[in-house]
Amino acid sequence: MTVHLVGAGPGDPELLTLKAVRLLGMADVVVHDRLAAPVLALVPETVTRIDVGKGGGPGAGSGHTQEAINRILVELGRLGLEVVRLKGGDPFVFGRGAEEVLALAEAGVPWTVVPGVSSAVGVPTAAGVPLTHRGVAASFTVVSATLAEGRHPDWEALARVGGTLVVLMGAGRRAGIATALLDAGMASATAVVAVSHGTLAEEVRVRTTLGQLGTAAVEAPATLVIGDAAAVVLPPVSPVRETART
Ligand SMILES: C[S@@+](CC[C@H](N)C(=O)[O-])C[C@H]1O[C@@H](n2cnc3c(N)ncnc32)[C@H](O)[C@@H]1O
């Protein structure tokens, strides 16, 4: 009947919205990305799952192009199925969600979109890294290290903006990003926190500086937080105490 683009959040299934959980419970088919996979535990066994994950470098992922994914969504929608298109983080933040909506709308397939917790904000927050801090950083900018047609962000302009810089899809390009920002005048001592596999059991946080970022061990997927707010060290996040209720 309808194709629902649903944000899966950064990984921890408890960060799903109530609406996402409801739609996953009533779906006929779930078409999911690689980064949305941790959330599949909440999908009933009877629901058909289609993995269309693209990421992970050459040879990795399901091999689907964006055009193929658009076609799959249109075909499933035309079959009259209730389809959840489960996307990592928020569907409209570097997720090509708008392209999928345009394809559905052009084909006359009804669609909805459900926001998700974007890794750009959710991963630093869950790791205890503030993006803004009174007197330290009054703004943050989110960029993707990879742009269409192999273009690069304007690191020189980004270095001038000030505030906190959040970089997605930048783990493998961290050396080049650091060099570009240093060349643009940012201080080598600028604080950086790199959070890999954020909100998941395998999460790794690396605290470093812009000068050292190129040689720091950072595994993808990672969210890089660059700027003075990343130097604000909060007390460790308290472990959640589960209290049994009778
Ligand atoms: C294609 S973008 C999709 C972003 C997604 N739509 C969102 O709002 O989070 C994928 C990038 O998001 C970041 N990312 C996604 N999940 C992450 C996680 N659990 N921990 C750290 N970074 C993550 C990484 O930078 C990764 O390369």
Side-chain angles (χ1 to χ4, degrees):
M1 214 79 81
T2 304
V3 177
H4 307 276
L5 277 78
V6 175
D12 178 352
E14 289 199 330
L15 294 174
L16 279 169
T17 60
L18 295 176
K19 198 173 239 188
V21 173
R22 180 173 64 75
L23 290 171
L24 286 171
M26 57 173 264
D28 297 307
V29 49
V30 174
V31 181
H32 67 90
D33 285 345
R34 191 176 47 107
L35 288 176
V39 165
L40 292 176
L42 292 184
V43 178
E45 288 291 324
T46 48
V47 174
T48 305
R49 297 145 193 239
I50 302 177
D51 176 5
V52 294
K54 296 196 289 286
S62 64
H64 289 83
T65 60
Q66 187 61 52
E67 292 66 31
I69 296 170
N70 295 352
R71 270 198 305 277
I72 289 170
L73 294 177
V74 167
E75 280 164 21
L76 292 171
R78 281 182 170 155
L79 289 175
L81 298 172
E82 217 51 61
V83 181
V84 167
R85 169 67 175 116
L86 192 61
K87 300 176 77 69
D90 182 278
F92 284 0
V93 176
F94 301 126
R96 304 191 72 172
E99 290 172 53
E100 295 175 7
V101 167
L102 289 171
L104 290 165
E106 195 185 332
V109 176
W111 61 277
T112 69
V113 62
V114 179
V117 174
S118 176
S119 54
V121 175
V123 164
T125 295
V129 180
L131 297 184
T132 64
H133 192 56
R134 197 172 168 83
V136 176
S139 66
F140 62 89
T141 306
V142 180
V143 290
S144 165
T146 346
L147 300 178
E149 286 114 33
R151 286 177 297 113
H152 303 289
D154 184 345
W155 296 111
E156 209 175 328
L158 289 164
R160 280 198 305 270
V161 170
T164 306
L165 186 56
V166 180
V167 185
L168 301 189
M169 290 174 269
R173 293 179 171 76
R174 61 193 181 285
I177 294 167
T179 303
L181 291 174
L182 291 168
D183 287 350
M186 281 182 77
S188 163
T190 304
V192 179
V193 179
V195 187
S196 301
H197 308 287
T199 78
L200 295 167
E202 56 270 34
E203 174 173 319
V204 179
R205 301 171 200 163
V206 175
R207 242 174 222 288
T208 183
T209 60
L210 203 52
Q212 301 291 319
L213 177 61
T215 52
V218 179
E219 202 177 287
T223 297
L224 309 179
V225 184
I226 303 171
D228 292 344
V232 177
V233 179
L234 301 176
V237 179
S238 310
V240 177
R241 270 223 312 270
E242 305 276 346
T243 314
R245 284 172 199 233
T246 50

